[in-house]
Amino acid sequence: GITRQELAQLVEVFGGDVSAIDSVVASSASTAAESAAIPAGLARQSAILTHPIFNRYHSETEMLRYITQLQNKDLSLANAMIPLGSCTMKLNATTELIPITWPEFSQIHPFAPREQAQGYAHMIRDLEEDLAAITGMDATTVQPNSGAQGEYAGLRAIRAYQSSQGQSQRNICLVPESAHGTNPASAVMAGLKVVIVKCDPKGNLDLVDLESKAKKHANELSAVMITYPSTFGVFEEGVLEAIEIVHQNGGQVYMDGANMNAQVGLTSPGHMGADVCHLNNHKTLAIPHGGGGPGVGPICVKKHLTPFLPGHPELVNADGTPKSTMGPVSAAPYGSAGVLPVTWSYVKLLGGRGMTQVSKTAILNANYMANRLRDHYSILFTNQKGMCAHEFILDMRPFGKTAGV
């Protein structure tokens, strides 16, 4: 139950009249079902919790065994391979996960007074600087809650920048046919018109088609969305030329960071000339990802796009002025801040050399598997040397004929 003093404190928080508490309590119904605030037609009439499971376990031991039985039905790294995409982290070290259980991180409200969250803010600033260094960019925001939300925030920053340059007519986004499905969806959400760019039979971006469409839409070209390595599991050999083509025709380059597992420490979007990219912390930087979350999709940008990163009423400078005139893309100023200690720990524990080794190992593992399976399956896409990036695609279509599937 709740005491009168506790109720009074709660009323005071919302600026209510404490003197009326006693009369309100006295006139209140003893149960919610009897409350006049709930229309009679909406009040439950049937019994609740009638399933036998709610009346089967009557001791702590029985309940513990039941919960363990449910737990044993879960498929995890403890008993099998995790059936998630190759771009997703398979190992989330306990050392990285422990900090998110600490009350200093897990029990603080996103809108807590800044003087009460200085340590948290320091960690976030530190992480944002590290992510900018990893991607070769100048600034970062961790506000987006997912990769797709990061795509939207990045494209929105591009549009805002172009509008500030008197180029608001730029509304065409070039998207390769090999792109992840969220790319065209995010472009449409950002108010852009999608023009698809072809890929060649080996899965590479068709540079002739890209240049043709970039020149055709030069006056309206806003951006191109490139995933590197591509979703086909190939390092785009013409990526630098593709970036140059778009820049020459007035567009900005958005690099999808879904496959950064094969990039970190070896190259970076900024080094290649991209203007903005997003990271999937739940794919590349250790945050557990399964069953829909939690996700963190930071975006990293070059200097000219920095003023157009997402803002928030809680994000202000020392003099109280807003850090950005852009609206937020998430309800909380730092998005899914509760899991950021995982990524911070991963980056600090591995360091630059460790993360580079992770990328090399991911590429090595994929090519080892591809070579072991090459005699038994058709591998759809490789580079000119027959190598893949950190993933590859097996062609299962022949099974339809050989096995009658």
Side-chain angles (χ1 to χ4, degrees), residues 296-334:
V296 180
I299 61 169
C300 307
V301 299
K302 287 291 181 67
K303 187 175 181 179
H304 64 284
L305 294 180
T306 301
F308 308 101
L309 289 172
H312 193 282
E314 291 291 316
L315 296 177
V316 295
N317 297 310
D319 60 0
T321 58
K323 287 189 175 181
S324 173
T325 58
M326 300 292 290
V329 296
S330 173
Y334 299 109

PDB file of all heavy atoms in Angstrom, residues 296-334:
ATOM      1  N   VAL A 296      20.792   0.898 -30.978  1.00  0.00           N
ATOM      2  CA  VAL A 296      21.375   2.239 -30.958  1.00  0.00           C
ATOM      3  C   VAL A 296      21.966   2.482 -32.346  1.00  0.00           C
ATOM      4  O   VAL A 296      22.788   1.694 -32.807  1.00  0.00           O
ATOM      5  CB  VAL A 296      22.484   2.381 -29.891  1.00  0.00           C
ATOM      6  CG1 VAL A 296      23.046   3.800 -29.909  1.00  0.00           C
ATOM      7  CG2 VAL A 296      21.942   2.043 -28.504  1.00  0.00           C
ATOM      8  N   GLY A 297      21.526   3.531 -33.006  1.00  0.00           N
ATOM      9  CA  GLY A 297      21.987   3.818 -34.365  1.00  0.00           C
ATOM     10  C   GLY A 297      22.593   5.192 -34.501  1.00  0.00           C
ATOM     11  O   GLY A 297      22.038   6.065 -35.183  1.00  0.00           O
ATOM     12  N   PRO A 298      23.754   5.457 -33.865  1.00  0.00           N
ATOM     13  CA  PRO A 298      24.366   6.790 -33.932  1.00  0.00           C
ATOM     14  C   PRO A 298      24.653   7.203 -35.368  1.00  0.00           C
ATOM     15  O   PRO A 298      24.892   6.350 -36.230  1.00  0.00           O
ATOM     16  CB  PRO A 298      25.684   6.614 -33.165  1.00  0.00           C
ATOM     17  CG  PRO A 298      25.558   5.332 -32.429  1.00  0.00           C
ATOM     18  CD  PRO A 298      24.626   4.485 -33.202  1.00  0.00           C
ATOM     19  N   ILE A 299      24.635   8.496 -35.622  1.00  0.00           N
ATOM     20  CA  ILE A 299      25.106   8.990 -36.912  1.00  0.00           C
ATOM     21  C   ILE A 299      26.327   9.856 -36.681  1.00  0.00           C
ATOM     22  O   ILE A 299      26.432  10.578 -35.685  1.00  0.00           O
ATOM     23  CB  ILE A 299      24.024   9.761 -37.701  1.00  0.00           C
ATOM     24  CG1 ILE A 299      23.535  10.996 -36.936  1.00  0.00           C
ATOM     25  CG2 ILE A 299      22.889   8.855 -38.086  1.00  0.00           C
ATOM     26  CD1 ILE A 299      22.668  11.917 -37.795  1.00  0.00           C
ATOM     27  N   CYS A 300      27.273   9.732 -37.609  1.00  0.00           N
ATOM     28  CA  CYS A 300      28.517  10.488 -37.560  1.00  0.00           C
ATOM     29  C   CYS A 300      28.588  11.330 -38.835  1.00  0.00           C
ATOM     30  O   CYS A 300      28.276  10.822 -39.919  1.00  0.00           O
ATOM     31  CB  CYS A 300      29.710   9.547 -37.471  1.00  0.00           C
ATOM     32  SG  CYS A 300      29.593   8.357 -36.109  1.00  0.00           S
ATOM     33  N   VAL A 301      28.977  12.582 -38.707  1.00  0.00           N
ATOM     34  CA  VAL A 301      28.921  13.493 -39.852  1.00  0.00           C
ATOM     35  C   VAL A 301      30.201  14.301 -39.988  1.00  0.00           C
ATOM     36  O   VAL A 301      30.962  14.465 -39.035  1.00  0.00           O
ATOM     37  CB  VAL A 301      27.728  14.472 -39.722  1.00  0.00           C
ATOM     38  CG1 VAL A 301      26.401  13.725 -39.684  1.00  0.00           C
ATOM     39  CG2 VAL A 301      27.880  15.360 -38.479  1.00  0.00           C
ATOM     40  N   LYS A 302      30.409  14.808 -41.203  1.00  0.00           N
ATOM     41  CA  LYS A 302      31.497  15.743 -41.439  1.00  0.00           C
ATOM     42  C   LYS A 302      31.093  17.117 -40.887  1.00  0.00           C
ATOM     43  O   LYS A 302      29.928  17.378 -40.579  1.00  0.00           O
ATOM     44  CB  LYS A 302      31.790  15.824 -42.941  1.00  0.00           C
ATOM     45  CG  LYS A 302      32.489  14.586 -43.504  1.00  0.00           C
ATOM     46  CD  LYS A 302      33.916  14.486 -42.987  1.00  0.00           C
ATOM     47  CE  LYS A 302      34.676  13.286 -43.544  1.00  0.00           C
ATOM     48  NZ  LYS A 302      34.939  13.375 -44.982  1.00  0.00           N
ATOM     49  N   LYS A 303      32.055  18.009 -40.809  1.00  0.00           N
ATOM     50  CA  LYS A 303      31.877  19.295 -40.135  1.00  0.00           C
ATOM     51  C   LYS A 303      30.717  20.107 -40.692  1.00  0.00           C
ATOM     52  O   LYS A 303      29.962  20.731 -39.939  1.00  0.00           O
ATOM     53  CB  LYS A 303      33.171  20.093 -40.229  1.00  0.00           C
ATOM     54  CG  LYS A 303      33.175  21.373 -39.417  1.00  0.00           C
ATOM     55  CD  LYS A 303      34.544  22.053 -39.475  1.00  0.00           C
ATOM     56  CE  LYS A 303      34.559  23.327 -38.629  1.00  0.00           C
ATOM     57  NZ  LYS A 303      35.907  23.980 -38.651  1.00  0.00           N
ATOM     58  N   HIS A 304      30.521  20.085 -42.022  1.00  0.00           N
ATOM     59  CA  HIS A 304      29.489  20.942 -42.602  1.00  0.00           C
ATOM     60  C   HIS A 304      28.079  20.486 -42.242  1.00  0.00           C
ATOM     61  O   HIS A 304      27.119  21.265 -42.349  1.00  0.00           O
ATOM     62  CB  HIS A 304      29.645  21.010 -44.135  1.00  0.00           C
ATOM     63  CG  HIS A 304      29.450  19.692 -44.836  1.00  0.00           C
ATOM     64  ND1 HIS A 304      30.401  18.703 -44.831  1.00  0.00           N
ATOM     65  CD2 HIS A 304      28.415  19.225 -45.573  1.00  0.00           C
ATOM     66  CE1 HIS A 304      29.964  17.666 -45.539  1.00  0.00           C
ATOM     67  NE2 HIS A 304      28.764  17.957 -45.996  1.00  0.00           N
ATOM     68  N   LEU A 305      27.936  19.221 -41.794  1.00  0.00           N
ATOM     69  CA  LEU A 305      26.613  18.723 -41.406  1.00  0.00           C
ATOM     70  C   LEU A 305      26.383  18.771 -39.893  1.00  0.00           C
ATOM     71  O   LEU A 305      25.269  18.534 -39.430  1.00  0.00           O
ATOM     72  CB  LEU A 305      26.428  17.278 -41.899  1.00  0.00           C
ATOM     73  CG  LEU A 305      26.392  17.065 -43.413  1.00  0.00           C
ATOM     74  CD1 LEU A 305      26.210  15.585 -43.733  1.00  0.00           C
ATOM     75  CD2 LEU A 305      25.277  17.884 -44.046  1.00  0.00           C
ATOM     76  N   THR A 306      27.426  19.093 -39.141  1.00  0.00           N
ATOM     77  CA  THR A 306      27.319  19.089 -37.677  1.00  0.00           C
ATOM     78  C   THR A 306      26.176  19.954 -37.134  1.00  0.00           C
ATOM     79  O   THR A 306      25.457  19.532 -36.220  1.00  0.00           O
ATOM     80  CB  THR A 306      28.658  19.527 -37.047  1.00  0.00           C
ATOM     81  OG1 THR A 306      29.691  18.635 -37.465  1.00  0.00           O
ATOM     82  CG2 THR A 306      28.576  19.530 -35.536  1.00  0.00           C
ATOM     83  N   PRO A 307      25.947  21.165 -37.664  1.00  0.00           N
ATOM     84  CA  PRO A 307      24.850  21.990 -37.121  1.00  0.00           C
ATOM     85  C   PRO A 307      23.465  21.388 -37.332  1.00  0.00           C
ATOM     86  O   PRO A 307      22.491  21.865 -36.733  1.00  0.00           O
ATOM     87  CB  PRO A 307      24.982  23.308 -37.912  1.00  0.00           C
ATOM     88  CG  PRO A 307      26.379  23.322 -38.424  1.00  0.00           C
ATOM     89  CD  PRO A 307      26.719  21.895 -38.703  1.00  0.00           C
ATOM     90  N   PHE A 308      23.376  20.337 -38.137  1.00  0.00           N
ATOM     91  CA  PHE A 308      22.074  19.787 -38.488  1.00  0.00           C
ATOM     92  C   PHE A 308      21.823  18.420 -37.867  1.00  0.00           C
ATOM     93  O   PHE A 308      20.910  17.699 -38.268  1.00  0.00           O
ATOM     94  CB  PHE A 308      21.939  19.732 -40.016  1.00  0.00           C
ATOM     95  CG  PHE A 308      22.236  21.048 -40.671  1.00  0.00           C
ATOM     96  CD1 PHE A 308      23.464  21.283 -41.271  1.00  0.00           C
ATOM     97  CD2 PHE A 308      21.307  22.077 -40.630  1.00  0.00           C
ATOM     98  CE1 PHE A 308      23.751  22.507 -41.852  1.00  0.00           C
ATOM     99  CE2 PHE A 308      21.587  23.319 -41.199  1.00  0.00           C
ATOM    100  CZ  PHE A 308      22.817  23.525 -41.811  1.00  0.00           C
ATOM    101  N   LEU A 309      22.633  18.089 -36.855  1.00  0.00           N
ATOM    102  CA  LEU A 309      22.371  16.875 -36.082  1.00  0.00           C
ATOM    103  C   LEU A 309      21.107  17.072 -35.252  1.00  0.00           C
ATOM    104  O   LEU A 309      20.724  18.206 -34.938  1.00  0.00           O
ATOM    105  CB  LEU A 309      23.559  16.572 -35.161  1.00  0.00           C
ATOM    106  CG  LEU A 309      24.840  16.082 -35.845  1.00  0.00           C
ATOM    107  CD1 LEU A 309      25.978  16.008 -34.837  1.00  0.00           C
ATOM    108  CD2 LEU A 309      24.615  14.732 -36.498  1.00  0.00           C
ATOM    109  N   PRO A 310      20.422  15.992 -34.867  1.00  0.00           N
ATOM    110  CA  PRO A 310      19.181  16.128 -34.088  1.00  0.00           C
ATOM    111  C   PRO A 310      19.397  16.898 -32.797  1.00  0.00           C
ATOM    112  O   PRO A 310      20.388  16.689 -32.090  1.00  0.00           O
ATOM    113  CB  PRO A 310      18.792  14.672 -33.797  1.00  0.00           C
ATOM    114  CG  PRO A 310      19.450  13.877 -34.864  1.00  0.00           C
ATOM    115  CD  PRO A 310      20.736  14.584 -35.173  1.00  0.00           C
ATOM    116  N   GLY A 311      18.487  17.793 -32.499  1.00  0.00           N
ATOM    117  CA  GLY A 311      18.519  18.526 -31.238  1.00  0.00           C
ATOM    118  C   GLY A 311      17.541  17.917 -30.256  1.00  0.00           C
ATOM    119  O   GLY A 311      16.970  16.844 -30.485  1.00  0.00           O
ATOM    120  N   HIS A 312      17.327  18.599 -29.151  1.00  0.00           N
ATOM    121  CA  HIS A 312      16.382  18.141 -28.120  1.00  0.00           C
ATOM    122  C   HIS A 312      16.269  19.260 -27.091  1.00  0.00           C
ATOM    123  O   HIS A 312      17.256  19.957 -26.818  1.00  0.00           O
ATOM    124  CB  HIS A 312      16.891  16.863 -27.455  1.00  0.00           C
ATOM    125  CG  HIS A 312      15.852  16.162 -26.622  1.00  0.00           C
ATOM    126  ND1 HIS A 312      15.503  16.578 -25.353  1.00  0.00           N
ATOM    127  CD2 HIS A 312      15.065  15.091 -26.893  1.00  0.00           C
ATOM    128  CE1 HIS A 312      14.565  15.781 -24.871  1.00  0.00           C
ATOM    129  NE2 HIS A 312      14.282  14.869 -25.787  1.00  0.00           N
ATOM    130  N   PRO A 313      15.079  19.458 -26.509  1.00  0.00           N
ATOM    131  CA  PRO A 313      14.932  20.504 -25.495  1.00  0.00           C
ATOM    132  C   PRO A 313      15.912  20.371 -24.333  1.00  0.00           C
ATOM    133  O   PRO A 313      16.263  21.363 -23.682  1.00  0.00           O
ATOM    134  CB  PRO A 313      13.480  20.328 -25.010  1.00  0.00           C
ATOM    135  CG  PRO A 313      12.773  19.727 -26.176  1.00  0.00           C
ATOM    136  CD  PRO A 313      13.779  18.829 -26.834  1.00  0.00           C
ATOM    137  N   GLU A 314      16.384  19.139 -24.074  1.00  0.00           N
ATOM    138  CA  GLU A 314      17.322  18.916 -22.971  1.00  0.00           C
ATOM    139  C   GLU A 314      18.769  19.152 -23.377  1.00  0.00           C
ATOM    140  O   GLU A 314      19.656  19.168 -22.530  1.00  0.00           O
ATOM    141  CB  GLU A 314      17.165  17.484 -22.442  1.00  0.00           C
ATOM    142  CG  GLU A 314      15.856  17.227 -21.713  1.00  0.00           C
ATOM    143  CD  GLU A 314      15.793  17.969 -20.385  1.00  0.00           C
ATOM    144  OE1 GLU A 314      16.798  17.952 -19.645  1.00  0.00           O
ATOM    145  OE2 GLU A 314      14.753  18.571 -20.092  1.00  0.00           O
ATOM    146  N   LEU A 315      19.025  19.296 -24.680  1.00  0.00           N
ATOM    147  CA  LEU A 315      20.397  19.494 -25.162  1.00  0.00           C
ATOM    148  C   LEU A 315      20.647  20.976 -25.382  1.00  0.00           C
ATOM    149  O   LEU A 315      20.279  21.542 -26.406  1.00  0.00           O
ATOM    150  CB  LEU A 315      20.616  18.710 -26.463  1.00  0.00           C
ATOM    151  CG  LEU A 315      20.507  17.190 -26.366  1.00  0.00           C
ATOM    152  CD1 LEU A 315      20.677  16.553 -27.750  1.00  0.00           C
ATOM    153  CD2 LEU A 315      21.549  16.631 -25.406  1.00  0.00           C
ATOM    154  N   VAL A 316      21.265  21.617 -24.390  1.00  0.00           N
ATOM    155  CA  VAL A 316      21.499  23.059 -24.463  1.00  0.00           C
ATOM    156  C   VAL A 316      22.954  23.363 -24.124  1.00  0.00           C
ATOM    157  O   VAL A 316      23.652  22.573 -23.482  1.00  0.00           O
ATOM    158  CB  VAL A 316      20.580  23.826 -23.491  1.00  0.00           C
ATOM    159  CG1 VAL A 316      19.121  23.668 -23.897  1.00  0.00           C
ATOM    160  CG2 VAL A 316      20.783  23.352 -22.053  1.00  0.00           C
ATOM    161  N   ASN A 317      23.413  24.517 -24.554  1.00  0.00           N
ATOM    162  CA  ASN A 317      24.758  24.986 -24.231  1.00  0.00           C
ATOM    163  C   ASN A 317      24.788  25.557 -22.817  1.00  0.00           C
ATOM    164  O   ASN A 317      23.750  25.676 -22.158  1.00  0.00           O
ATOM    165  CB  ASN A 317      25.184  26.047 -25.244  1.00  0.00           C
ATOM    166  CG  ASN A 317      25.277  25.497 -26.654  1.00  0.00           C
ATOM    167  OD1 ASN A 317      25.911  24.469 -26.887  1.00  0.00           O
ATOM    168  ND2 ASN A 317      24.631  26.185 -27.599  1.00  0.00           N
ATOM    169  N   ALA A 318      25.976  25.937 -22.378  1.00  0.00           N
ATOM    170  CA  ALA A 318      26.129  26.465 -21.015  1.00  0.00           C
ATOM    171  C   ALA A 318      25.288  27.715 -20.788  1.00  0.00           C
ATOM    172  O   ALA A 318      24.821  27.978 -19.677  1.00  0.00           O
ATOM    173  CB  ALA A 318      27.606  26.765 -20.745  1.00  0.00           C
ATOM    174  N   ASP A 319      25.056  28.503 -21.854  1.00  0.00           N
ATOM    175  CA  ASP A 319      24.261  29.726 -21.709  1.00  0.00           C
ATOM    176  C   ASP A 319      22.768  29.494 -21.906  1.00  0.00           C
ATOM    177  O   ASP A 319      21.979  30.448 -21.935  1.00  0.00           O
ATOM    178  CB  ASP A 319      24.745  30.789 -22.697  1.00  0.00           C
ATOM    179  CG  ASP A 319      24.632  30.320 -24.153  1.00  0.00           C
ATOM    180  OD1 ASP A 319      24.180  29.178 -24.383  1.00  0.00           O
ATOM    181  OD2 ASP A 319      24.987  31.106 -25.052  1.00  0.00           O
ATOM    182  N   GLY A 320      22.377  28.212 -22.038  1.00  0.00           N
ATOM    183  CA  GLY A 320      20.963  27.886 -22.161  1.00  0.00           C
ATOM    184  C   GLY A 320      20.431  27.850 -23.582  1.00  0.00           C
ATOM    185  O   GLY A 320      19.275  27.486 -23.804  1.00  0.00           O
ATOM    186  N   THR A 321      21.259  28.222 -24.550  1.00  0.00           N
ATOM    187  CA  THR A 321      20.809  28.185 -25.949  1.00  0.00           C
ATOM    188  C   THR A 321      20.837  26.748 -26.462  1.00  0.00           C
ATOM    189  O   THR A 321      21.662  25.938 -26.020  1.00  0.00           O
ATOM    190  CB  THR A 321      21.719  29.058 -26.838  1.00  0.00           C
ATOM    191  OG1 THR A 321      23.070  28.581 -26.722  1.00  0.00           O
ATOM    192  CG2 THR A 321      21.652  30.506 -26.395  1.00  0.00           C
ATOM    193  N   PRO A 322      19.931  26.404 -27.380  1.00  0.00           N
ATOM    194  CA  PRO A 322      19.890  25.026 -27.894  1.00  0.00           C
ATOM    195  C   PRO A 322      21.146  24.676 -28.682  1.00  0.00           C
ATOM    196  O   PRO A 322      21.697  25.522 -29.394  1.00  0.00           O
ATOM    197  CB  PRO A 322      18.642  25.013 -28.786  1.00  0.00           C
ATOM    198  CG  PRO A 322      18.415  26.445 -29.157  1.00  0.00           C
ATOM    199  CD  PRO A 322      18.877  27.244 -27.981  1.00  0.00           C
ATOM    200  N   LYS A 323      21.603  23.441 -28.545  1.00  0.00           N
ATOM    201  CA  LYS A 323      22.786  23.003 -29.280  1.00  0.00           C
ATOM    202  C   LYS A 323      22.487  22.834 -30.763  1.00  0.00           C
ATOM    203  O   LYS A 323      23.395  22.865 -31.588  1.00  0.00           O
ATOM    204  CB  LYS A 323      23.307  21.689 -28.689  1.00  0.00           C
ATOM    205  CG  LYS A 323      23.982  21.847 -27.341  1.00  0.00           C
ATOM    206  CD  LYS A 323      24.672  20.574 -26.910  1.00  0.00           C
ATOM    207  CE  LYS A 323      25.458  20.789 -25.614  1.00  0.00           C
ATOM    208  NZ  LYS A 323      26.174  19.566 -25.181  1.00  0.00           N
ATOM    209  N   SER A 324      21.239  22.605 -31.092  1.00  0.00           N
ATOM    210  CA  SER A 324      20.849  22.440 -32.492  1.00  0.00           C
ATOM    211  C   SER A 324      19.448  22.992 -32.678  1.00  0.00           C
ATOM    212  O   SER A 324      18.599  22.896 -31.785  1.00  0.00           O
ATOM    213  CB  SER A 324      20.895  20.968 -32.898  1.00  0.00           C
ATOM    214  OG  SER A 324      20.363  20.785 -34.198  1.00  0.00           O
ATOM    215  N   THR A 325      19.203  23.566 -33.837  1.00  0.00           N
ATOM    216  CA  THR A 325      17.868  24.064 -34.149  1.00  0.00           C
ATOM    217  C   THR A 325      16.991  22.968 -34.731  1.00  0.00           C
ATOM    218  O   THR A 325      15.803  23.173 -34.943  1.00  0.00           O
ATOM    219  CB  THR A 325      17.954  25.219 -35.163  1.00  0.00           C
ATOM    220  OG1 THR A 325      18.624  24.756 -36.348  1.00  0.00           O
ATOM    221  CG2 THR A 325      18.727  26.389 -34.574  1.00  0.00           C
ATOM    222  N   MET A 326      17.582  21.809 -34.985  1.00  0.00           N
ATOM    223  CA  MET A 326      16.824  20.677 -35.522  1.00  0.00           C
ATOM    224  C   MET A 326      16.012  20.013 -34.413  1.00  0.00           C
ATOM    225  O   MET A 326      16.431  19.971 -33.252  1.00  0.00           O
ATOM    226  CB  MET A 326      17.771  19.647 -36.143  1.00  0.00           C
ATOM    227  CG  MET A 326      18.625  20.174 -37.284  1.00  0.00           C
ATOM    228  SD  MET A 326      17.646  20.573 -38.753  1.00  0.00           S
ATOM    229  CE  MET A 326      17.171  18.931 -39.274  1.00  0.00           C
ATOM    230  N   GLY A 327      14.868  19.493 -34.748  1.00  0.00           N
ATOM    231  CA  GLY A 327      14.058  18.766 -33.782  1.00  0.00           C
ATOM    232  C   GLY A 327      14.646  17.392 -33.500  1.00  0.00           C
ATOM    233  O   GLY A 327      15.502  16.903 -34.236  1.00  0.00           O
ATOM    234  N   PRO A 328      14.208  16.743 -32.428  1.00  0.00           N
ATOM    235  CA  PRO A 328      14.730  15.416 -32.071  1.00  0.00           C
ATOM    236  C   PRO A 328      14.162  14.316 -32.965  1.00  0.00           C
ATOM    237  O   PRO A 328      13.129  14.503 -33.605  1.00  0.00           O
ATOM    238  CB  PRO A 328      14.265  15.236 -30.623  1.00  0.00           C
ATOM    239  CG  PRO A 328      13.009  16.064 -30.537  1.00  0.00           C
ATOM    240  CD  PRO A 328      13.234  17.245 -31.443  1.00  0.00           C
ATOM    241  N   VAL A 329      14.851  13.178 -32.987  1.00  0.00           N
ATOM    242  CA  VAL A 329      14.325  11.987 -33.665  1.00  0.00           C
ATOM    243  C   VAL A 329      13.966  10.920 -32.645  1.00  0.00           C
ATOM    244  O   VAL A 329      13.475   9.855 -32.994  1.00  0.00           O
ATOM    245  CB  VAL A 329      15.336  11.419 -34.687  1.00  0.00           C
ATOM    246  CG1 VAL A 329      15.579  12.403 -35.811  1.00  0.00           C
ATOM    247  CG2 VAL A 329      16.642  11.013 -34.010  1.00  0.00           C
ATOM    248  N   SER A 330      14.230  11.204 -31.375  1.00  0.00           N
ATOM    249  CA  SER A 330      13.927  10.277 -30.296  1.00  0.00           C
ATOM    250  C   SER A 330      13.364  11.063 -29.119  1.00  0.00           C
ATOM    251  O   SER A 330      13.652  12.251 -28.968  1.00  0.00           O
ATOM    252  CB  SER A 330      15.197   9.528 -29.870  1.00  0.00           C
ATOM    253  OG  SER A 330      14.962   8.747 -28.712  1.00  0.00           O
ATOM    254  N   ALA A 331      12.568  10.404 -28.296  1.00  0.00           N
ATOM    255  CA  ALA A 331      11.966  11.086 -27.147  1.00  0.00           C
ATOM    256  C   ALA A 331      13.019  11.494 -26.119  1.00  0.00           C
ATOM    257  O   ALA A 331      12.862  12.489 -25.419  1.00  0.00           O
ATOM    258  CB  ALA A 331      10.919  10.189 -26.488  1.00  0.00           C
ATOM    259  N   ALA A 332      14.092  10.713 -26.020  1.00  0.00           N
ATOM    260  CA  ALA A 332      15.145  10.994 -25.044  1.00  0.00           C
ATOM    261  C   ALA A 332      16.344  11.636 -25.740  1.00  0.00           C
ATOM    262  O   ALA A 332      16.651  11.300 -26.887  1.00  0.00           O
ATOM    263  CB  ALA A 332      15.579   9.711 -24.342  1.00  0.00           C
ATOM    264  N   PRO A 333      17.028  12.539 -25.066  1.00  0.00           N
ATOM    265  CA  PRO A 333      18.125  13.273 -25.717  1.00  0.00           C
ATOM    266  C   PRO A 333      19.262  12.386 -26.208  1.00  0.00           C
ATOM    267  O   PRO A 333      19.899  12.689 -27.211  1.00  0.00           O
ATOM    268  CB  PRO A 333      18.607  14.243 -24.628  1.00  0.00           C
ATOM    269  CG  PRO A 333      18.104  13.676 -23.345  1.00  0.00           C
ATOM    270  CD  PRO A 333      16.825  12.994 -23.677  1.00  0.00           C
ATOM    271  N   TYR A 334      19.513  11.283 -25.489  1.00  0.00           N
ATOM    272  CA  TYR A 334      20.594  10.379 -25.897  1.00  0.00           C
ATOM    273  C   TYR A 334      20.059   9.000 -26.274  1.00  0.00           C
ATOM    274  O   TYR A 334      20.764   7.994 -26.157  1.00  0.00           O
ATOM    275  CB  TYR A 334      21.631  10.260 -24.777  1.00  0.00           C
ATOM    276  CG  TYR A 334      22.270  11.592 -24.428  1.00  0.00           C
ATOM    277  CD1 TYR A 334      21.984  12.230 -23.231  1.00  0.00           C
ATOM    278  CD2 TYR A 334      23.151  12.217 -25.309  1.00  0.00           C
ATOM    279  CE1 TYR A 334      22.562  13.461 -22.913  1.00  0.00           C
ATOM    280  CE2 TYR A 334      23.734  13.444 -25.005  1.00  0.00           C
ATOM    281  CZ  TYR A 334      23.435  14.051 -23.806  1.00  0.00           C
ATOM    282  OH  TYR A 334      23.997  15.270 -23.502  1.00  0.00           O
TER     283      TYR A 334
END
